[in-house]
């Protein structure tokens, strides 16, 4: 999948694609005092997100995005920015009630001029399915094809009193299959009763890489930066934390 951009786009868009009714939609800011009214949010199979007359494509070449799934709260977050335009989706409670805004932003934060919908019912999205298709998508994107990726790592440590401690070196390794991540010899389940805390994926498309994160309930975690598109597939870096040690790794050449 990592070399097939159309397949990547279809797979990602399918996580959020759908037409979602919302209890209260309105303008930002509400200069004319129209107040909120029922409306809807649409995400097309091609990845175009729309509220009313405003829309933004997930796959604009200038786009930067981040999608995260929070398993403990059963919520998620999604942010998309293209120049001075933004889409945000926030769901931080069980159920599908999601706040969505779209429009222009002056500081890269919340929308300052555009449209919003509160309590959009996104329970019908694939992302919120009990089968957790985001995990399947991440496994497909970062599958190592039965190989183990080994890297030379540096402990970035943490700052104490203005000084960064760490600097130790080591080797580390990982592999990814459809059901399991193996990190430094330890098998971490992705499916079949896996106890996951969070997972996510993001990118600035111009960089040509996809950044994936998975964290388990026991604190184990893995971050992978992998090139995508024609001729892609190479792992640019990977990282993980053990206690206060923050290991950043470059694959051995």
């Amino acid at each position: 999948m990592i070399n097939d951009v159309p397949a990547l786009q279809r797979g990602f868009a399918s996580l959020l694609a759908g037409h979602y009714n919302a209890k209260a939609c309105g303008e930002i800011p509400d200069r004319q005092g129209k107040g909120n009214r029922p409306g809807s949010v649409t995400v097309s199979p091609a990845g175009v997100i729309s509220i009313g007359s405003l829309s933004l494509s997930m796959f604009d070449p200038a786009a930067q995005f981040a999608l995260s799934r929070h398993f403990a709260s059963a919520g998620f977050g999604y942010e998309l920015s293209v120049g001075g335009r933004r889409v945000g989706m926030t769901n931080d409670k069980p159920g599908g009630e999601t706040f969505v805004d779209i429009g222009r932003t002056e500081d890269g934060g919340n929308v300052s001029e555009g449209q919003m919908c509160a309590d959009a019912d996104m329970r019908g999205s694939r992302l919120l399915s009990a089968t957790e298709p985001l995990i399947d998508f991440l496994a497909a994107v970062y599958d190592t094809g039965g190989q183990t990726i080994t890297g030379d790592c540096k402990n970035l440590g943490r700052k104490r009193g203005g000084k960064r401690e760490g600097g130790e070196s080591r080797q580390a390794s990982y592999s990814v299959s459809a059901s399991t991540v193996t990190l430094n010899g330890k098998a971490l389940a992705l499916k079949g009763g896996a106890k996951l805390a969070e997972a996510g994926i993001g990118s600035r498309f111009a960089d040509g890489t996809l950044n994936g994160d998975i964290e388990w309930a026991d604190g184990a975690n893995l971050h992978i930066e992998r090139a995508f598109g024609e001729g892609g597939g190479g792992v640019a870096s990977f990282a993980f934390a053990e206690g206060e040690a923050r290991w950043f790794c470059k694959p051995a050449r």
Side-chain angles (χ1 to χ4, degrees), residues 77-118:
Y78 174 71
E79 293 188 6
L80 169 68
S81 60
V82 181
R85 296 172 294 161
R86 176 188 187 274
V87 170
M89 297 183 179
T90 304
N91 179 316
D92 56 7
K93 55 188 176 182
E97 295 81 9
T98 304
F99 178 86
V100 185
D101 59 1
I102 182 172
R104 296 196 172 277
T105 175
E106 295 178 357
D107 55 6
N110 294 331
V111 169
S112 57
E113 184 174 355
Q115 299 278 338
M116 72 85 189
C117 285

Side-chain angles (χ1 to χ4, degrees), residues 22 24-28 35-37 39-41 51 54 99-103 111 114-119:
C25 298
E27 297 180 359
I28 304 173
N36 295 333
R37 55 203 177 279
S40 62
V41 177
I51 298 178
L54 298 181
F99 178 86
V100 185
D101 59 1
I102 182 172
V111 169
Q115 299 278 338
M116 72 85 189
C117 285
D119 290 338

